Amino acid sequence: MQRSTCFLITFLSCCILAAVGSCPKEFANLEESTIAHENIYTYSSVKPPNPTVGLLYPRESNTREVRSLDGIWNLLRSNASDPLQGIREKWYKENLRATNHEITLMPVPASYNDVTVDQRLRDHVGTVWYERHFFVPSRWRKERMRVWLRFGSIHYEAIVWINGQTTMRHSFGHLPFEVEISSYVNYGSENRITIMVDNRLNNHTIPQGQVVKQVNDDGFAYIQTYTFDFFNYAGIHRSVHLYTTPPTYISDVELKTQVSRNLIGRIDYRLWLGNAEVLDVKSTHVLVKLLDKSGNVAAHQINRDIRNGTLLVPNVKPWWPYLMNPDPGYMYTLEFQLIAEGGTEAEPNNELLDAYRLPVGIRNLSWNKDGLFLNNKPLYLRGFGRHEDSDIRGKGLDNALLTRDFSLLRWVGANAYRTSHYPYSEESMQFADQHGIMIIDECASVNTDLFEPELLVNHMSYLEQLIHRDRNHASVIAWSIANEPRTKKKAAEAYFGALANYTRGIAQGRPLTAASNVDKPSECMMSQFLDIIGFNRYNAWYHNAGRTDMIVQPMYDEAKNWRDRYQKPVILFEYGGDTIEGYHTLPAFIWSEEYQTTLFSKHFKAFDRLRELKWFIGEFVWNFADFKTEQAFTRVGGNKKGVFTRNRQPKDAAHLLRKRYHALAWKLDNASLPADLFDYIIDWN
């Protein structure tokens, strides 16, 4: 255990050094030169990450149990000037209260920043410690069940101990991780889980940031700096689950779907099995059943190839986006049963080894230089950039808020959003599947700069974990590899070339995109590697503020310039302007609700001109709802570009946008208009 402690101290010391830019390079063969004060790197030493296996979403079945560890945990805030104190003093060896440090009761899932009235906790930089106790029944050992601990997301670095023993580490926020803890738990009694969470960012983390030491009234303070425009929430943000599997179990599932023109569905599946070496393959099979929404069997098969197969579905009901079909988001339930055969042919005595069920939407996805197509129909995306953000709980999973958000998405007539600027919860991805909302799935690389090989290693690993998590979701139609990276830099070309080449090899039948904000398409060193061009532009806000007469033509010209240079489909991922709820001026003036609606209306005119050219395939407002940012004199209570307030009430522009989005659905897909879309004014007859 002493060696483990020394390793942890060394590991975390490197993290601290990295935070201030002093961590030694791990790449002995790194070639670096300086051109115009810009470091240019080669990436021959960078190896692709090992593929992730496992991490199926916890679901109960007749062979599995799932228990939630959500609730109230203990939290201890470390001293920002001594983040390793808990490692040195081995706080994980006993209850946190035994340390004699102040303990705060903290809900999980939630960001810890805004739950209390403690400013030190809200602005904390460094480590915090979480703790709770849980019970493991003796029955699980008697039934030889494997016991697993799974986290939906922790921000950012996490080290986990069970009963004082180190069990796992994970470095990325917004993504799940898990470990089997069967050998660490005490059956039939209480157990203790301890977690150290580190919220610091550096030049090699995803996203990037730097910790700086600044003088204050009490001596000095550690400040986390970053360039992204949203608050750097931290904590256990998503659910914690304890679940079981049998000794031999289905550890992973990969699905790929197709729909033929005569409505024959096809599901190609691949299974990974844990403890498969004990199986007699000749006497083992997989029973596969596909159930429709009513629970009826739509297709089934017995497959003696227990790792691969194809299931054909006659008269399939394809998955369609919202307002493209009267029954959008149609989801089947796919069940796999791993069965060991026994007995005789006359008197079989088969044993169910494991069963796992998951939802599946069946659809086609394709793209070319002119468009993106779902079930062979061209897509026009209308939606938002969003954030996982709300009052008090920060980025913590909130099912009530999630339900409200999807209700608003359907009310406003959106059919898509981008998970700006990080992966959203698994529960939100399931909601998107069920509601027919298409997803541009974005990794947490925002404002990427300083393109060092160590960063590329983490960037690749992040995308691999994201794609592994979300590959089976029908709603995911593209992967976004970055938002507003510093792609004017020459170093960005080799970096994004290597990143895109790797990601395309694991893309699971989806195109690659990203959001650029360079002034000219010719300046972007990244977009040449993408399948769909995405850009952000704030005409009449950051560009020509107050001038709504400078929107239509500049927007049209810029989109066309992107198209002319790259000959690929083009999406506008961000446009908009901050708006103070209830602030009205006539004539329209910047920050007023009238200004936001005027700004939107002018963009609509440009979009309609671009739509006629066929290769312009989407318009995304920034943002769905107001959200919190770091403290700055340019932000009054956060970013106010939302069409909904932070507590999800509409501004004037939401009603205008609703008319726009539903009218597009009516015009492009023959959707019915809501009866309350237009208020009665007069009998025009």
Side-chain angles (χ1 to χ4, degrees), residues 189-208:
S189 61
E190 194 173 64
N191 295 267
R192 185 182 70 256
I193 177 172
T194 310
I195 310 169
M196 190 184 75
V197 178
D198 191 340
N199 69 348
R200 291 170 297 173
L201 302 172
N202 60 57
N203 290 341
H204 301 148
T205 57
I206 308 290
Q208 293 171 304

Side-chain angles (χ1 to χ4, degrees), residues 9-79:
I9 293 175
T10 303
F11 171 78
L12 290 167
S13 297
C14 185
C15 290
I16 291 175
L17 290 170
V20 295
S22 303
C23 190
K25 290 182 173 62
E26 300 173 0
F27 294 83
N29 298 325
L30 176 64
E31 298 175 13
E32 179 180 331
S33 62
T34 302
I35 300 176
H37 305 290
E38 180 185 343
N39 291 330
I40 307 296
Y41 305 95
T42 61
Y43 303 100
S44 56
S45 300
V46 174
K47 297 180 180 179
N50 293 325
T52 302
V53 176
L55 287 171
L56 289 173
Y57 189 80
R59 301 181 190 278
E60 290 195 321
S61 72
N62 41 349
T63 61
R64 298 176 176 228
E65 294 183 39
V66 179
R67 295 189 176 185
S68 172
L69 295 184
D70 294 353
I72 302 299
W73 292 48
N74 292 329
L75 181 138
L76 188 160
R77 178 180 59 84
S78 301
N79 191 319

Side-chain angles (χ1 to χ4, degrees), residues 63-64 143-146 148 244-250 274-275 352-355:
T63 61
R64 298 176 176 228
E143 296 176 0
R144 298 173 55 240
M145 304 300 289
R146 293 175 180 262
W148 300 81
T244 67
T245 63
T248 301
Y249 62 101
I250 299 168
N275 199 33
L352 176 62
L353 299 178
D354 192 19

Side-chain angles (χ1 to χ4, degrees), residues 219-237:
F220 62 87
Y222 290 96
I223 308 297
Q224 176 72 70
T225 64
Y226 48 87
T227 61
F228 50 83
D229 188 32
F230 51 94
F231 192 81
N232 190 37
Y233 281 113
I236 303 177
H237 281 165

